[in-house]
Amino acid sequence: MIDAKDIARAADLLHDVVAPTPLEYSRWLSELVGGDVFLKCENLQRTGSFKLRGAYVRMARLSKAERSRGVVAASAGNHAQGVALAAQLLGIKATVFMPHGAPIPKEKATRAYGAEIRFAGTSIDDCLREALKFEAETGAVLIHPFDHPDIVAGQATAGLEIVEQCPQVRTVVVPTGGGGLVAGIATAMQRDGMPIGVVGVQAAGAAAYPASLAAGVPVQLAGMSTMADGIAVGLPGKVPFEAVQQYVGDIRTVTESSLSKALLLVLERAKLVVEPAGAAAVAAVLDDPKAFKPPVVVVLSGGNIDPLLLMRVIRNGMAAAGRYLSLRVRIPDNPGGLATLLTQLAQLDANIIEVVHERISESLSLDEVEVALQLELRGEDHRERVLAGLTGNGYTYMLN
């Protein structure tokens, strides 16, 4: 395990490499929690996430001989960019294994920093296996995304910044995958006479820590399913696991719906772009705001999101908040039938985004047609009023 001296030395190494990220006050989250809430904007860090911190510290400590052999990494994108930029700054050749389907902006950014990209499997775990093979075959040094003391010490510098920027902090909420960031921040929070609770947050479809903590050792997940690729890790690291056991008070999980809703709210209310993994801590606070003792610092761990995924997540977030509705409505096949439906929806104050009029289908009767609608609404109450209005006007509908 690392200690305060390790973190201080890491901070010295990073002094001219990373910029302290802003700590922004969040009025809307503060109102929910009932006390001050701040956003630690690691999404605004160089490369768009906290990962440069650990990658640079690890690589700066390599010997001349190790540097000459190059480095290899496995990442869905954020660690890849951190390693690639650190390699560029230090003059080291970097090879990065990324899963098939990795976000295109992350791939392009990693290449732009000069790293060679190779694709392997569909998860970080698949890529790690390939990276280990590459290490054995070539002698390149593996820069693990989370399971090394130097990586954890580098990530812990974000915790030092939190303490400096918000000395009164009582709870820090951290997106959690393999555990490097939450372990580092939790270690940095160990200050005499000032108990600070640290909460890790995992996607429910990739939550390896709850079972691992219950077992007392890292336990491999059988499978994962989440859009939060940045925290989709099936096996906690041994190095961060020990710190999580000792210093992290709680690990919470959040659903895909909660992630979408949180991402949308961060975009709308904080005017910040985050990826699904980066919104995980906000999702946990939204799910149970009274569970966190203020002042609270919520870490936005990354902001590297594919624009197409952002569009889908925004739509899902709007649906989760009752602000987007996709449905199919059957109407009589007679002149004015569609116009009547649209008029009634307008009277219900529903904003019609898209209409598709389907007249031919074996599931339809001869005297009816089906209309596919996408509606923008004002929230859950409005959604229920619109559906009730459709039923009251005699329409049959099916939600998509």
Side-chain angles (χ1 to χ4, degrees), residues 109-386:
T110 302
R111 291 187 191 277
Y113 290 127
E116 177 187 348
I117 303 295
R118 300 190 182 191
F119 291 99
T122 58
S123 70
I124 295 175
D125 296 323
D126 293 335
C127 293
L128 271 173
R129 284 190 286 270
E130 292 302 315
L132 287 168
K133 290 180 184 178
F134 186 88
E135 179 186 40
E137 293 169 359
T138 67
V141 180
L142 175 67
I143 307 301
H144 199 283
F146 48 82
D147 203 11
H148 192 280
D150 289 341
I151 296 289
V152 176
Q155 320 305 28
T157 60
L160 287 186
E161 290 178 18
I162 290 171
V163 171
E164 292 169 359
Q165 294 167 321
C166 185
Q168 71 275 26
V169 63
R170 288 296 177 270
T171 308
V172 184
V173 193
V174 188
T176 301
L181 180 61
V182 71
I185 287 178
T187 304
M189 293 294 110
Q190 303 311 304
R191 296 191 291 162
D192 294 338
M194 186 170 287
I196 301 172
V198 178
V199 178
V201 183
Q202 298 205 281
Y209 263 96
S212 297
L213 290 170
V217 293
V219 175
Q220 176 73 53
L221 287 177
M224 295 180 291
S225 178
T226 178
M227 63 180 165
D229 60 280
I231 53 174
V233 178
L235 180 66
K238 293 180 181 178
V239 173
F241 183 78
E242 187 174 351
V244 170
Q245 277 186 309
Q246 186 164 342
Y247 297 137
V248 177
D250 190 17
I251 297 288
R252 290 175 172 250
T253 61
V254 292
T255 64
E256 301 296 284
S257 177
S258 291
L259 287 169
S260 296
K261 185 177 178 181
L263 187 151
L264 176 63
L265 285 171
V266 170
L267 181 64
E268 286 189 330
R269 304 299 296 273
K271 308 301 184 285
L272 292 167
V273 176
V274 293
E275 59 193 278
V282 174
V285 174
L286 291 173
D287 283 350
D288 191 5
K290 300 304 181 183
F292 303 92
K293 183 177 180 179
V296 180
V297 172
V298 178
V299 178
L300 306 179
S301 58
N304 296 310
I305 184 169
D306 186 299
L308 292 177
L309 175 60
L310 179 59
M311 290 169 60
R312 295 197 298 270
V313 172
I314 288 174
R315 186 178 68 178
N316 289 342
M318 290 179 67
R323 294 170 50 195
Y324 177 88
L325 181 61
S326 179
L327 74 167
R328 305 180 76 86
V329 182
R330 294 193 174 187
I331 64 174
D333 186 14
N334 55 45
L338 178 59
T340 299
L341 171 64
L342 299 183
T343 298
Q344 290 171 346
L345 286 170
Q347 291 171 347
L348 290 166
D349 204 22
N351 183 30
I352 300 168
I353 300 172
E354 186 175 325
V355 178
V356 177
H357 196 199
E358 185 175 296
R359 302 183 62 86
I360 302 173
S361 172
E362 61 183 24
S363 65
L364 293 172
S365 301
L366 294 176
D367 61 347
E368 64 181 0
V369 296
E370 192 168 69
V371 181
L373 295 162
Q374 294 181 23
L375 308 176
E376 181 185 12
L377 308 175
R378 298 184 180 278
E380 287 290 348
D381 291 343
H382 189 201
R383 179 181 185 274
E384 295 306 314
R385 289 201 307 273
V386 168

Side-chain angles (χ1 to χ4, degrees), residues 45-66:
Q45 185 56 262
R46 293 181 71 177
T47 74
S49 84
F50 68 94
K51 289 289 191 175
L52 176 62
R53 297 176 184 270
Y56 188 89
V57 171
R58 171 78 172 102
M59 292 164 65
R61 290 176 173 168
L62 295 178
S63 68
K64 184 176 181 180
E66 288 173 323

